[in-house]
Amino acid sequence: MKSDSVLTNNESLINQYLVIQIADTHYAIKLNPIREIVIIPNITSVPDSPNFVRGVIKLRNNIITLIDSRKRLGFHSLDEIDKEMIDMLKHREEEHINWVQTLYASLETGTEFTLTTDPHACAFGKWFDNYKTTNIGLSVYIKQFDLPHKRIHSTASKALTELKLNGLDHAKKIIAEVKNTDLKQMMLLFEGVQKAIRESHRELAIVIESKNGLIAIAADNVSNIFTFDEDQLQQTDMAQRNKFIVGSVNNSGDVYLLLDLDKLVDY
C-alpha cells in the first residue's frame, strides 16, 4: 500500500497523524516523516541486533532496518504469539490421536473409557468455542474443525453400543472408520493450521525519514489520518510509564496513544 502522493514532506502535514494498530491498541504517529507504507517484504535477519530489530528489508535500492514495534512497546511479537498457538494446537492434535487409541484399547481390554465424550469439554473444544479472530480467512479455516471434532467424540457411545449389540469386531470397525475419516481430516487441518495462521497476518512496514536516514516500523494495520492541535494532547499514566508514548488524543470519541517516533526508532 503505497501512497507517495499523500505521504510527502509537506508543511501542511505537520499536524496530521496516521492511526496504526499494534497488538489491539491504536496509536497515532506524525504523518510528516512517513515516506511510504508497504506490506512487509522478505526480512533478512541481522546478527547481534537488539530483540526489537526484526532485520532489514529491501525497497528498491534501499536497505532499511525494520523495527518490531510490538517488541519495542513491550508486547509479544506476532511470531511469538503464532508459535504459542501452533504449539498449543499440536498438543490438541496429540490428545485426539490418544483419545481414539485409548477408546480402542478400552474395547479390547474391557476397561472403562474415562476420557470425555463431550466435544465442548475437552481442551480443544473449550478453546474452539471461545476462539475469535477478525481475520475472515483464518476464521473459515478454524471452523472446518467443528464437524470432524464432534463426530470423533460421538464415536465412544457408538462403539460401546455396537460392542454390546454385535461384539468387539463391529465396534472396532467403527473406530477404524473414524480414524480413516474424521481423525484423518482433523490431522490434515492441524497440519495446515501453521500456514493458515501465518497467512492471516498482513503486517505493514511504515517507512519514515529519521535523523539516521530511512527506517521502518512494523504495524498490524493502518486505520485513518486525522488532524489535531498540540493543545488537545492529554497526559496519561501510560505516558508516565512508557517512554515511547507522549500522551493520548481523543478524536471524535476514539482515543489514540501518541507515539514519539524519534524515540521508537532510536537505539
Side-chain angles (χ1 to χ4, degrees), residues 31-50:
L31 195 64
N32 197 46
I34 299 175
R35 293 297 165 261
E36 60 181 302
I37 303 172
V38 298
I39 293 175
I40 293 179
N42 291 333
I43 303 171
T44 301
S45 60
V46 179
D48 300 323
S49 297

Side-chain angles (χ1 to χ4, degrees), residues 105-117:
S106 73
L107 294 177
E108 280 203 313
T109 60
T111 56
E112 182 184 2
F113 181 69
T114 58
L115 299 180
T116 183
T117 59

Side-chain angles (χ1 to χ4, degrees), residues 52 67 72 208 210-212 215-217 244 260-267:
F52 56 83
I67 301 293
R72 195 67 162 138
I208 66 171
S210 74
K211 62 183 181 182
N212 297 318
I215 197 163
I217 64 170
F244 305 116
D260 186 325
L261 275 180
D262 291 332
K263 290 182 179 179
L264 195 70
V265 303
D266 188 32
Y267 66 97

Side-chain angles (χ1 to χ4, degrees), residues 30-229:
K30 285 186 176 180
L31 195 64
N32 197 46
I34 299 175
R35 293 297 165 261
E36 60 181 302
I37 303 172
V38 298
I39 293 175
I40 293 179
N42 291 333
I43 303 171
T44 301
S45 60
V46 179
D48 300 323
S49 297
N51 71 337
F52 56 83
V53 174
R54 295 270 287 275
V56 295
I57 57 176
K58 184 177 181 181
L59 292 179
R60 293 173 291 282
N61 295 321
N62 296 310
I63 304 298
I64 302 171
T65 299
L66 178 66
I67 301 293
D68 189 325
S69 52
R70 280 175 168 259
K71 297 286 284 186
R72 195 67 162 138
L73 291 168
F75 299 109
H76 289 296
S77 69
L78 280 176
D79 283 344
E80 291 171 337
I81 293 171
D82 288 350
K83 185 180 184 302
E84 183 179 338
M85 181 174 174
I86 290 165
D87 288 346
M88 179 274 294
L89 289 173
K90 284 180 180 177
H91 288 304
R92 302 295 83 85
E93 178 184 16
E94 292 167 2
E95 288 168 358
H96 283 78
I97 293 171
N98 178 67
W99 190 97
V100 174
Q101 291 173 340
T102 302
L103 176 60
Y104 188 92
S106 73
L107 294 177
E108 280 203 313
T109 60
T111 56
E112 182 184 2
F113 181 69
T114 58
L115 299 180
T116 183
T117 59
D118 182 354
H120 303 286
C122 71
F124 177 81
K126 292 176 181 177
W127 172 83
F128 180 87
D129 289 343
N130 292 284
Y131 179 71
K132 292 181 177 61
T133 176
T134 57
N135 185 276
I136 296 174
L138 183 58
S139 177
V140 169
Y141 189 92
I142 295 297
K143 284 180 180 178
Q144 294 179 77
F145 281 96
D146 191 31
L147 286 178
H149 177 239
K150 287 177 177 175
R151 286 196 292 255
I152 286 172
H153 280 276
S154 70
T155 304
S157 60
K158 291 178 182 178
L160 291 170
T161 300
E162 193 67 17
L163 177 65
K164 291 178 182 178
L165 294 177
N166 299 306
L168 181 59
D169 288 342
H170 286 80
K172 284 182 177 180
K173 285 181 181 179
I174 290 178
I175 298 176
E177 182 179 353
V178 82
K179 283 178 68 176
N180 291 324
T181 55
D182 295 312
L183 182 60
K184 185 176 181 179
Q185 184 180 351
M186 280 196 71
M187 290 173 68
L188 288 172
L189 288 170
F190 279 122
E191 183 180 335
V193 77
Q194 178 170 339
K195 182 180 178 182
I197 292 170
R198 302 291 190 202
E199 290 182 346
S200 69
H201 306 310
R202 287 293 181 267
E203 280 185 288
L204 301 173
I206 301 173
V207 182
I208 66 171
E209 185 76 50
S210 74
K211 62 183 181 182
N212 297 318
L214 292 178
I215 197 163
I217 64 170
D220 299 351
N221 201 359
V222 169
S223 301
N224 65 313
I225 294 171
F226 73 102
T227 303
F228 79 94
D229 295 323

